[in-house]
Amino acid sequence: MTPDLSNNAYNPVASVRTTGEKILDAARSEFARFGLAGGRVDRIARSAGVNKAMIYYHYSSKENLYREVLSGHFRRVGQLLKTRLTDLESIQARLEAAADVWMDVFAEMPEFRSLVLRELAQPSSELLDQIADVLIGTGLPEAIPQLMSDEISAGRFREVDTRQALVSFVTMNIGYFLISPLINRVLSITDENDFIRNRKRAVIDLFFNGIKVRKL
Amino acid sequence: MTPDLSNNAYNPVASVRTTGEKILDAARSEFARFGLAGGRVDRIARSAGVNKAMIYYHYSSKENLYREVLSGHFRRVGQLLKTRLTDLESIQARLEAAADVWMDVFAEMPEFRSLVLRELAQPSSELLDQIADVLIGTGLPEAIPQLMSDEISAGRFREVDTRQALVSFVTMNIGYFLISPLINRVLSITDENDFIRNRKRAVIDLFFNGIKVRKL
Amino acid sequence: MTPDLSNNAYNPVASVRTTGEKILDAARSEFARFGLAGGRVDRIARSAGVNKAMIYYHYSSKENLYREVLSGHFRRVGQLLKTRLTDLESIQARLEAAADVWMDVFAEMPEFRSLVLRELAQPSSELLDQIADVLIGTGLPEAIPQLMSDEISAGRFREVDTRQALVSFVTMNIGYFLISPLINRVLSITDENDFIRNRKRAVIDLFFNGIKVRKL
Amino acid sequence: MTPDLSNNAYNPVASVRTTGEKILDAARSEFARFGLAGGRVDRIARSAGVNKAMIYYHYSSKENLYREVLSGHFRRVGQLLKTRLTDLESIQARLEAAADVWMDVFAEMPEFRSLVLRELAQPSSELLDQIADVLIGTGLPEAIPQLMSDEISAGRFREVDTRQALVSFVTMNIGYFLISPLINRVLSITDENDFIRNRKRAVIDLFFNGIKVRKL
DNA sequence: GATGAATGAGCTTTCATTCAT
DNA sequence: GATGAATGAAAGCTCATTCAT
């Protein structure tokens, strides 16, 4: 059930990592920690154990290396979404699966969070376009509101703005991961893993209780 | 009802902005756009219309200037929270007020979002400690779960994990602002202001419908 | 017998030091510690307790202030030499008096040593010209070798190169003060004052035993 | 008899000087002329004919480059002392050899004098510790006074303070070199080389005549 | 005389990138 | 592919000096 997102997800066989892969790995962590502007080519080379010139040989520029790092992540996320969200009929099943994917993504791709946050901070980010394309490509942003409308028509969901509802669901899931360092401090959460484990159920519970037709 | 968060919130009378304030204003926008590492002292000086050395005269280092920018924001946020969240009894009133504050903060302090996102991206950020302190200082992180517990005991709220519920509420509100560029693209939201206007009601509606005791 | 070289030698009445004097005092110690290139106008102003612009008001430039510091020293040294070396007949009396003066100069004008060393380090120093003039002005550099020649003619001194002998006498005296930090370390001299007290006698003793006619 | 202390002493084959050596050579002369604070990295780079960044590539900082310059000198001096002061029995032979070494050092390492003077001017110089160690390492500071004591016990030397005597010998030798620009002016010495050539004999003569037991 | 703020030139250092081997 | 050395542009910062009040 858990996906294959082990350490070597990006580089299946660690023992024969090519120079290009070593650079990519080092760059991933460098850019996650310091961002594009703050990341240092020297540091990447050193922590990859290769000569600095090799970075230019393989990736031609720091900025391009950064792009490679990001597109690697998105390829992986897209692939996960595609694999895990097919053949699911009910809206609940789909949303649960999506929640799972995000949890896995953040759990197993530790640098992803930082990279995305920094991209979100930039006024015009070509990267966001890429993510958006990946997400739209899953068909979910269109399908989910449509399914909700169907449920509303069928009298099972309350009359809500379906896009707002979708945004609510997404932010409850992703939002926690994005601002977890802040939340952990404010709520004195010490066992983060435990909190995350319960998170999915809590979100699903609140969301469907909030959207389904019930009587007071 | 809307607060005085106009452009000159930090410098009431624009016409007599001191050099220090001009620098701070320029720095705010520079760091929001490019981050600490990407921000350029030259550019700040130029766009503030002052000599570069003045930045060091007034703020002693680029990093310290950055800190001043951030702490200025937090002071403002803390002050807003303090002003707007007092004398409110019911949990609903409090959460609505908090939602209003966040909406205002993001609407009126355009650089805040970027700055916070970049800080969230950093593994160890002393700034997050500052925000956390501001938030804890409002008493809300303790009060809200307590009020929820009271409602649960009184049979009015369902048996939910109160901290998870709080996190859900917060992320539904803040989360949208943080990832709005992405959401806007994915959901093809063109009139962002319109979406934001409806957002508060949608969140409150979903949240309380989801947490209150009702019958199916 | 000991001269009036107390702390306030340069500024007779400390309690009413003018701004110009305060600056001069601070500058003296600053330039002694860091040299002309390493000395900082800011630091001088701060440690003098005056505004930086005052330095320019009173001394017009850093370099000029430096010159004032040095010429203050030389005036003092010249004055000392003049006072203490007059009315002395015998060569021994004169050399002893000169040794005393140097000892007093180094003992009571703590910054002098550093300043002179730095000037000596510079290939072309107008300051050295000034000192040289002061020294020549005392008449000693001409008188002493002449007196030695007389002694030689009279058969009391051995046939030595009188200028070399004078240089030997001077370096034995001054030389120690110039390189004392080094000598103290190498010879593990802990009680420097004690060593200095004995120095004069040792020099005189060695010099005259070395130069007088004796039999093996 | 004279040692190989030609211009390229530090870099035996001038035609293949490495970049690091070129920098070191340029730095040596720059720091000798202007000191650490007054020395300019730009100037060093230009006069070495290399890119400024190379200085940081090879020596990581201006201060460190300065340290390298000095330790290079001290290594050389230590080596000279070690080579020239072995296998010498009599105290006279040893002192003469030491005097020769110092004369050679000052004659052939033209920058040494300035560098040492500036270091002597600094209140706390780690460099002086290094020189002191080199000197102590030669064993002379301990051996010479001991030899003098032996001579005194044997009735050949007069009863003198042996450390004072050693200091006298050293300052007569080194002292002249340190303050030569001053002495030359005061005594109108035009042919410095001639004076230096005679200096050694004059010092030895005065010293031993002064310390040996003789009769008036 | 005295001050705080301002200036401009120049400082040390950094860093992405390229070159020669 | 791989390396160590090199480059040039620009970065952050300093500092002697001056100005307005």
Side-chain angles (χ1 to χ4, degrees), chain D residues 9-27:
Chain D
Y10 319 109
N11 315 293
V13 186
S15 53
V16 289
R17 278 192 315 161
T18 66
T19 295
E21 287 162 345
K22 281 191 246 171
I23 291 170
L24 213 53
D25 289 349

Side-chain angles (χ1 to χ4, degrees), chain D residues 76-88:
Chain D
R76 180 79 188 131
V77 171
Q79 170 188 334
L80 266 183
L81 287 170
K82 212 163 289 174
T83 311
R84 310 266 291 276
L85 294 183
T86 48
D87 303 327
L88 296 175

Side-chain angles (χ1 to χ4, degrees), chain C residues 129 185 209 214-215, chain D residues 129 164 185 209 214-215:
Chain C
D129 291 330
R185 281 172 230 221
N209 264 289
R214 298 186 305 166
K215 295 168 187 163
Chain D
D129 291 329
Q164 293 280 3
R185 282 173 230 219
N209 265 290
R214 300 186 304 165
K215 294 169 189 161

Side-chain angles (χ1 to χ4, degrees), chain C residues 113-114 120-121 129 141 158 163-164 168 178-179 185-187 195 199 205 209 212 214-216, chain D residues 113-114 120-121 129 141 158 163-164 168 178-179 185-187 195 199 205 209-210 212 214-216:
Chain C
R113 191 185 144 269
S114 288
L120 282 167
D129 291 330
R158 299 188 301 110
R163 291 197 308 176
Q164 294 279 3
S168 292
L178 294 186
I179 64 176
R185 281 172 230 221
V186 171
L187 295 188
F195 191 84
R199 181 103 197 107
D205 171 71
N209 264 289
K212 280 185 183 162
R214 298 186 305 166
K215 295 168 187 163
L216 286 178
Chain D
R113 192 186 143 267
S114 287
L120 282 168
D129 291 329
R158 299 188 301 111
R163 292 197 307 177
Q164 293 280 3
S168 292
L178 294 185
I179 63 177
R185 282 173 230 219
V186 171
L187 295 188
F195 191 84
R199 178 101 198 109
D205 172 70
N209 265 290
K212 279 186 186 160
R214 300 186 304 165
K215 294 169 189 161
L216 285 178

Side-chain angles (χ1 to χ4, degrees), chain A residues 189-207:
Chain A
I189 292 174
T190 48
D191 188 348
E192 190 180 353
N193 288 332
D194 188 56
F195 191 84
I196 291 176
R197 251 191 308 282
N198 295 324
R199 179 98 199 114
K200 181 189 153 191
R201 192 176 23 241
V203 168
I204 296 283
D205 172 71
L206 184 70
F207 182 74

